[in-house]
Amino acid sequence: MDASRPGLRERTRRMMRAEIGSVAERLFLDQGFDATTMDQVAAEAGISRRTLFRYFDTKEDIVLDGLVERGHVLKEALESRPADEPPWQALRAAFLAQRDDPRNAPESLAKMSKMLETPSLRARMVEKQRQWVALLAPEVQRRLGAPPGPQPDPRAEALVLCALVCLDVAVETWVRAGGEGDVARIYDEVAAAVRG
């Protein structure tokens, strides 16, 4: 048996979370995030409110469910970059490797628009992205030539935060432009201004 493969219970849990997320996303897009209740999500998913709360604590958690996992994927992508690649280049490559398929651009645009225009979602998104700093900073610290220690190097944390802000600005610019333009080009322009 493959020890790296999740067991049946975990696979079932992931499938259930994905199904709830899909139902909730449709409701949020159709009637708006604030107008949608957890009771409606539970009813539409065919589960009880109590069961829903076993999977998600809040509506924000439903929408942003994949962000924590995406942080781990980014960490792996960053660690797989060439060992001597400078931190900014490695972060850029890791971020851009995780871009959504361009064929999903209309769906991504709709989801990001909702997130950016809903204050509670935006705040929760920032909070979850902040967790990425803890995941990415050790590799950036190594690339800076700083030895590992009990406390993260503040330079590594600052660099990761700056790169994440550049990514957020690039995505938000893309959303405001109605999905026109290239996120990678916008990111490069923003990052050049920050680094300049």
Side-chain angles (χ1 to χ4, degrees):
M1 185 166 166
D2 184 358
S4 67
R5 186 172 179 216
L8 178 61
R9 179 174 288 170
E10 180 58 25
R11 291 196 313 271
T12 303
R13 181 170 175 75
R14 288 179 186 177
M15 285 176 24
M16 190 64 180
R17 287 177 73 95
E19 186 175 328
I20 293 168
S22 177
V23 165
E25 186 177 301
R26 184 173 38 77
L27 287 172
F28 296 152
L29 289 173
D30 287 348
Q31 58 192 44
F33 180 79
D34 291 329
T36 303
T37 67
M38 290 291 267
D39 287 332
Q40 288 174 317
V41 172
E44 192 73 19
I47 58 175
S48 70
R49 179 180 169 85
R50 184 176 178 180
T51 299
L52 175 61
F53 279 105
R54 275 193 224 131
Y55 290 97
F56 298 101
D57 293 332
T58 66
K59 289 192 297 184
E60 290 82 4
D61 288 336
I62 297 173
V63 174
L64 302 172
D65 186 41
L67 273 186
V68 173
E69 179 60 32
R70 187 169 261 194
H72 290 283
V73 172
L74 277 171
K75 178 180 184 281
E76 290 175 15
L78 181 61
E79 290 172 346
S80 73
R81 300 299 306 160
D84 60 346
E85 191 171 46
W88 272 102
Q89 286 177 252
L91 282 166
R92 177 194 186 277
F95 291 160
L96 297 180
Q98 304 310 311
R99 283 190 296 183
D100 290 334
D101 186 325
R103 292 172 293 190
N104 297 332
E107 182 183 322
S108 296
L109 180 61
K111 284 170 36 177
M112 287 306 301
S113 294
K114 285 288 181 199
M115 277 198 250
L116 294 174
E117 68 191 27
T118 308
S120 62
L121 274 176
R122 190 176 186 126
R124 190 74 167 182
M125 183 171 71
V126 169
E127 179 185 318
K128 288 190 180 281
Q129 279 186 331
R130 190 73 168 97
Q131 296 172 19
W132 293 2
V133 176
L135 292 171
L136 303 177
E139 176 61 16
V140 170
Q141 184 168 326
R142 185 195 67 71
R143 289 172 185 274
L144 290 171
Q151 296 296 320
D153 187 310
R155 296 173 305 156
E157 288 185 317
L159 205 151
V160 172
L161 277 169
C162 284
L164 284 171
V165 167
C166 291
L167 181 63
D168 285 346
V169 169
V171 170
E172 189 169 342
T173 301
W174 178 78
V175 169
R176 281 194 316 254
E180 294 296 319
D182 178 37
V183 172
R185 182 190 55 75
I186 300 166
Y187 176 87
D188 288 340
E189 290 172 359
V190 172
V194 168
R195 296 176 67 191

